[in-house]
Amino acid sequence: MLPLEALPLRQSPSAVVTGGRVLAVDPAAAAAGVEVGQKRSTALGLAPRLRLFERDAAREAAALEHLACWGGRFTPSVVQAPPDALLLEVDGCQRLFGSLVQLATMAVRECTTLGWSIAWAVAPTPLGARWLARAGYGGCVESLEQLAAVLAGLPCAVPGWPADTLARLEAFGVRQLGGLAGLPRAGLRRRLGGRIVDDWLRASGELPDPQAFHVFPERFAAALELPSRVEHAEALAFAGQRLLATLAGWLHARRRLIRACTLHLGHDDATTSVLDLRTGEPGADEGRLLRLLREHLGHLVLKAPVERLELLADETFPLSGESASLFGSAAAGEGRSACLERLRARLGEAAVRSPACIADHRPECATAEHDPLTEAPPDHAPVSEADAFRPLWLLPDPQPLAELAGSPHWHGSLQLLSRPERLESGWWDSGEAGAAGDVRRDYFVARNQLGQWAWIFRDARGWFLHGLFA
Amino acid sequence: MNAAPAPAALAEVLARGDVWRGDALASLPVAAIPSGYPELDAELPGGGWPRGSLVELLADRGGCGEMSLLLPALARLNGEGGWLALVAPPWRPHAPAWTAAGLKPERLVVVRPGNQFAWCLEQLLCSGGFAGILAWPGAGIDARSLRRLQVAAEGRAVFAGLWRSTATAAAPSPAPLRVAFAAENGGLSVRILKRRGRPASRPLALAVPRPGRSPRVVAGPAFSIAAAGSAAAAAVA
């Protein structure tokens, strides 16, 4: 039906003729008795109101091109098989859609929604599928054995071989393709030519049948001529849906998202008006674009009847998918710096800090803090032997301890476990605000009766708790 | 419409989401982190501190050696290039001591979340950018937040330790592993309150590193640098 449905300005009953003979008829014409292969005059005699059109190969090719783009939503391996067939390689993607039957049902339903009447079949070989579709099989064939059995029952006229070949086959007594399988191949080749035998071998899977896949264009642009002049904007929605479906297939196959596209409305007075469709964020949802289009069309007043639509994708973005790993390892997050940036933005800059060592013998000065995102850590101070005996935690400020019976108390009396370690001096920053200043302390490792290990010191003012050996 | 696609650079092609590279095989699911204490590893499911789930660390008072117990695992994570985060620690980390324990302070982040503790910890867990997170929620964390945090930690390659008081030991918790610490005879007693698998029978007594050679030695050789101040030592001895 492609020759017919690719034509614009079509009214029922209608038929397409080529070389003086009818090539395709619409249902209304078929009801009047017009058949494929009839002469132009016969057809007109049967249905006087029949409108006849010459075949338009360019339009058919354009329609097939659109359909190939649309097929991108199912599989990236799409083959245009002129004049009227489209092959989708679905072996690799059947699991994605559940099963072959579900995939085929979905494709046929969408195709029908878009206004194309199709004959379809699923088969293990491209040529086998084409022949089955042409014979109106409308089902799925899963294995080569099953395919051979089904093909054997097809009439010889299905592959579209030349008429003299068909006459010869008829003379051999071969009326169904299955008859070919029983005949000696060398003899068939000599009598009918290699093409017939090769076709049969390709269809039944005995010869490889490589296909040239459709190349999805770099930039999307699709035009559609309307079947009749449209005077009301709402009536454009159906044609728009066809274009958007093509766009959706293209986006899927090229793995892109779209944010803005323009619909050019070609008026019959050769002027063009432009409709901008723009979504808030890049997406690939056809339904969303269609709803958007309907909204725009709802309040659009056409200045002249429209006879042509063209859809251009203006802003597209690559789809940034994430690879899942084979063994389902840990889920990835936004990453460290993005997370810390967000924390810092909410909690303030002082809330996210990294410590660093500073070469200073006074414990409270030995740790510097810096911003892990924007600042490089200060120069690394060498680790001294004594650092192994420093506590992991320091109190923000030394905590004064009571002294009872000559020993310091912290949750009970503290037992001193080391000799004093004298840390003193710091004259260079004494007197500065916030600086540790000049210190003179004797540090001890001590433990209380609860088993807590503390780092305490004694200076002129008494005992202080300064750190915890956690 | 049928223009051939422009040639793309190899790097662009590899960056596409639908290209899967074979070397992704190398990233096997992450295993537990050996704690550095064989007797503890034997009791922990998976043979070490787990990743991708909340670990509740119950201790009432600091200074018993509870951080020293975690240090080998943290140093291992840190040494593999992972980042560590301390969320709301009650004290200031003393960088020289952490460095001496084998950690790189430049890959350590201290976060002070104020009153947004749960949100903050959840963000850190979800970010996937940290190998280990230790958090001190204080008293005010409810069961709902704990559940959210456990969900956030699930499936991430992060060791997430949550310090709580032993008073919460009887309360139910979504964390699959709960460990209580107590000081005992100069060492650390580790009791596994909850774990995947059969319940643990007895507490483990672990000898964690303590400053000085042994608790009984009053003066170790490492402290000889301070011997000059012996007057003060004599006063307290």
Side-chain angles (χ1 to χ4, degrees), chain A residues 65-66 69 80 214-218 220-222 246 254-255 319 321-327 329-336 339-340 342-343 346-347 350-357 363-364 366-367 369-370 372 377 380 383 385-396 406 410-411 415-422 442 444-445 447 450-453 455 458 463 468-470, chain B residues 1-6 15-20 24-25 27-30 61-68 71 83 86 89-101 105-114 116 119-120 123-124 126-130 136 155-157 183 185-186 210-220 222-223 225-227 229-233 235-236:
Chain A
E65 180 94 31
H66 285 182
C69 266
Q80 295 183 53
H214 173 64
V215 178
F216 291 90
E218 195 83 344
F220 179 84
T246 315
R254 288 216 67 109
R255 297 190 58 77
L319 175 63
E322 278 182 2
S323 291
S325 70
L326 189 57
F327 295 110
S329 72
E334 57 183 345
R336 184 186 62 257
C339 177
L340 290 181
R342 232 143 33 80
L343 293 185
R346 189 188 270 211
L347 305 169
V352 180
R353 310 294 282 177
S354 268
C357 299
E364 52 264 69
T367 306
E369 290 195 335
H370 66 277
H380 192 72
V383 179
E385 202 183 328
D387 286 337
F389 300 93
R390 294 280 184 263
L392 287 169
W393 301 117
L394 282 190
L395 271 64
W410 181 54
H411 299 298
Q415 181 192 0
L416 301 184
L417 300 173
S418 70
R419 288 189 172 179
E421 180 186 2
R422 169 62 63 96
D442 283 330
F444 297 87
V445 177
R447 189 180 52 163
L450 298 171
Q452 289 175 284
W453 291 65
W455 204 38
R458 188 165 72 166
W463 290 98
L468 289 175
F469 293 94
Chain B
M1 193 154 162
N2 217 351
R16 286 170 47 144
D18 55 350
V19 174
W20 176 79
L25 261 175
S27 67
L28 287 166
V30 284
R61 39 181 63 89
C64 304
E66 69 284 350
M67 281 303 296
S68 306
L71 275 180
W83 280 64
L86 306 175
W91 306 286
R92 287 173 53 202
H94 185 49
W98 291 74
T99 311
E106 62 265 26
R107 286 203 294 271
L108 182 71
V109 179
V110 179
V111 181
R112 300 187 180 89
Q116 312 210 29
W119 174 81
C120 191
Q123 299 301 314
L124 288 167
C126 288
S127 75
F130 292 88
W136 286 259
R156 312 260 171 199
N185 297 334
R210 301 280 68 192
R213 279 213 169 151
S214 95
R216 292 283 156 220
V217 176
V218 168
F223 293 97
I225 48 168
S230 55
V236 295

Side-chain angles (χ1 to χ4, degrees), chain A residues 240-388:
Chain A
Q241 183 185 0
R242 228 185 224 196
L243 288 175
L244 288 177
T246 315
L247 173 66
W250 177 83
L251 287 173
H252 198 95
R254 288 216 67 109
R255 297 190 58 77
R256 294 189 84 81
L257 298 174
I258 191 159
R259 192 164 69 192
C261 54
T262 42
L263 190 65
H264 296 256
L265 312 175
H267 298 293
D268 62 350
D269 53 0
T271 58
T272 306
S273 48
V274 177
L275 195 62
D276 268 318
L277 300 177
R278 181 172 284 273
T279 57
E281 55 185 4
D285 185 7
E286 177 197 352
R288 185 170 165 181
L289 283 172
L290 188 61
R291 282 193 295 278
L292 199 61
L293 175 66
R294 287 220 168 93
E295 289 297 320
H296 279 287
L297 291 177
H299 53 78
L300 181 72
V301 178
L302 296 179
K303 55 182 183 183
V306 178
E307 54 178 24
R308 187 170 190 278
L309 289 182
E310 186 172 18
L311 184 66
L312 295 172
D314 296 326
E315 288 178 32
T316 61
F317 303 89
L319 175 63
S320 57
E322 278 182 2
S323 291
S325 70
L326 189 57
F327 295 110
S329 72
E334 57 183 345
R336 184 186 62 257
S337 40
C339 177
L340 290 181
E341 267 165 26
R342 232 143 33 80
L343 293 185
R344 202 174 56 164
R346 189 188 270 211
L347 305 169
E349 299 215 346
V352 180
R353 310 294 282 177
S354 268
C357 299
I358 296 266
D360 194 315
H361 63 278
R362 293 168 296 174
E364 52 264 69
C365 303
T367 306
E369 290 195 335
H370 66 277
D371 191 316
L373 291 170
T374 53
E375 296 163 23
D379 286 340
H380 192 72
V383 179
S384 70
E385 202 183 328
D387 286 337

